[in-house]
Amino acid sequence: MADCIQPQPGILDIALYVGGASQLEGQSNVLKLSSNENPLGASPAAMQAFSRAGHDLHRYPSTDHAGLRAAIGDVWGVDPARVVCGVGSGELLKLLADAYAGPGDEVVFTEHGFSMYPIYAHACGATPVVVPERDRMVDVDAILAACTDKTRLVYLANPANPTGTMISDAEVARLAAGLPPRVLLALDGAYAEYVSGYDAGRALVESRNNVIMTRTFSKIYGLGGLRIGWAYGPQAVIDVLNRLRGPFNLSAAALAAAEAAMRDTAHTERCSTENARWRDWLATGLADLGVPSDPSSANFILARFASAEEAQACDTYLRSQGIIVRQVAGYGLPHCLRITVGDESACRRVVHAVAQFKGSR
């Protein structure tokens, strides 16, 4: 009815995002492996900085995030003036859609891409365009073929969630070079720190004007509870995002913790090393049980079962053993379960439980 309060077109097309479960009724020793959290936790330096910030809770935080941007610049070798910080990388990815897409425009992403991408598109009134992948791998040619004169933004997660797969720097560069002039490529690097020697697109950002990269403190830095992210891109794009973000979008405590976490490179290196060790062990252990996965470049594996029914049955059994993993039918992968790489005891517990499940069938 025209005289009723109505949301903007596209809003009611949004399917609500469902996060990973964290509790199981009747279970006390719950192992949560559904949200890709860091089992080693945050840096001790970050926790200390967060605690110290409690003495100034009556003060407004910095609006320019200068301390955190300087730390990012020092550690990653980027120009702090071209860094913008947000409430997780999610806020920045959404602001990109708000700034550069709208009614009549298209936002492109791949079929197994992060489930928030279509939400960002719908929220700004744009049309989401889903591109098929090839064996759970991003297909650059398919993305380029999907771009039209209406395309304004392409989201690319690399490494990808929930598949854990990634494409090469050369393929990302080919994608950036092949996009129409009015299209911005957003490289979502939430899991970039788990890939040794990977710059997550920094060189590409510095050589082109149509690429921006985003990062998060929620994964390897262990600060998911604080919601902090950052982006590095062309100065003109960063200026636009700074106009859209709230001036006090990050709390003083979050800024202090993130700066300390960024500078504690020894902690992140340890987390990356331990993740690679137990990720490979977990993948091998499950493969030996007939549950394969693609080589993962992130802090999780995508375990593939013979059918959607077997995946569902295994998830039910794992829950009965106090283990929560992530069903990914919503990503078009009903025969898979995404399993976060935990510490040694967690990985051993998962493999033992899946072995019991397989033996009972």
Side-chain angles (χ1 to χ4, degrees), residues 58-98:
H58 58 300
R59 304 293 187 191
Y60 277 100
S62 159
T63 60
D64 63 7
H65 312 148
L68 177 55
R69 289 189 296 106
I72 292 168
D74 290 344
V75 173
W76 286 100
V78 298
D79 179 2
R82 292 171 58 183
V83 172
V84 60
C85 301
V87 184
S89 56
E91 180 189 28
L92 302 172
L93 291 166
K94 180 184 184 301
L95 290 180
L96 286 172
D98 293 341

Side-chain angles (χ1 to χ4, degrees), residues 19-44:
S22 59
Q23 297 180 342
L24 292 173
E25 186 175 353
Q27 297 278 357
S28 57
N29 184 24
V30 174
L31 176 59
K32 182 189 176 188
L33 300 174
S34 57
S35 298
N36 301 338
E37 296 158 333
N38 185 343
L40 301 183
S43 154

Side-chain angles (χ1 to χ4, degrees), residues 155-224:
Y155 288 124
L156 176 68
N158 201 41
N161 171 30
T163 63
T165 60
M166 69 181 296
I167 59 175
S168 68
D169 291 346
E171 281 293 274
V172 177
R174 186 167 72 87
L175 173 60
L179 291 174
R182 293 185 61 185
V183 177
L184 181 64
L185 174 60
L187 300 178
D188 180 352
Y191 300 94
E193 290 86 355
Y194 289 105
V195 185
S196 178
Y198 179 44
D199 75 352
R202 180 188 63 195
L204 201 57
V205 170
E206 293 174 346
S207 65
R208 304 189 60 86
N209 63 3
N210 68 331
V211 181
I212 185 169
M213 55 182 267
T214 65
R215 307 289 275 277
T216 183
F217 283 86
S218 297
K219 304 306 178 185
I220 203 168
Y221 296 101
L223 297 178

Side-chain angles (χ1 to χ4, degrees), residues 132-322:
E133 296 183 8
R134 183 179 301 169
D135 296 327
R136 299 165 301 280
M137 286 283 293
V138 166
D139 184 337
V140 168
D141 291 319
I143 294 177
L144 293 174
C147 291
T148 70
D149 58 359
K150 295 181 180 180
T151 307
R152 296 292 177 267
L153 180 64
V154 173
Y155 288 124
L156 176 68
N158 201 41
N161 171 30
T163 63
T165 60
M166 69 181 296
I167 59 175
S168 68
D169 291 346
E171 281 293 274
V172 177
R174 186 167 72 87
L175 173 60
L179 291 174
R182 293 185 61 185
V183 177
L184 181 64
L185 174 60
L187 300 178
D188 180 352
Y191 300 94
E193 290 86 355
Y194 289 105
V195 185
S196 178
Y198 179 44
D199 75 352
R202 180 188 63 195
L204 201 57
V205 170
E206 293 174 346
S207 65
R208 304 189 60 86
N209 63 3
N210 68 331
V211 181
I212 185 169
M213 55 182 267
T214 65
R215 307 289 275 277
T216 183
F217 283 86
S218 297
K219 304 306 178 185
I220 203 168
Y221 296 101
L223 297 178
L226 292 182
R227 310 303 303 123
I228 315 150
W230 59 279
Y232 179 58
Q235 191 67 65
V237 177
I238 297 302
D239 288 346
V240 167
L241 296 182
N242 274 319
R243 283 170 165 78
L244 288 179
R245 71 171 177 85
F248 301 109
N249 60 334
L250 291 177
S251 71
L255 288 167
E259 181 178 346
M262 176 59 63
R263 293 193 182 278
D264 190 355
T265 55
H267 181 73
T268 52
E269 288 171 4
R270 174 174 171 252
C271 292
S272 179
T273 298
E274 285 298 294
N275 175 77
R277 176 187 177 190
W278 290 107
R279 179 185 62 203
D280 294 347
W281 186 94
L282 178 62
T284 300
L286 292 179
D288 289 345
L289 296 172
V291 184
S293 58
D294 296 313
S296 173
S297 296
N299 69 334
F300 58 85
I301 65 169
L302 185 69
R304 299 198 308 274
F305 292 82
S307 64
E309 292 73 22
E310 186 185 32
Q312 176 65 57
C314 185
D315 182 63
T316 299
Y317 181 79
L318 291 175
R319 286 172 174 261
S320 76
Q321 301 302 301

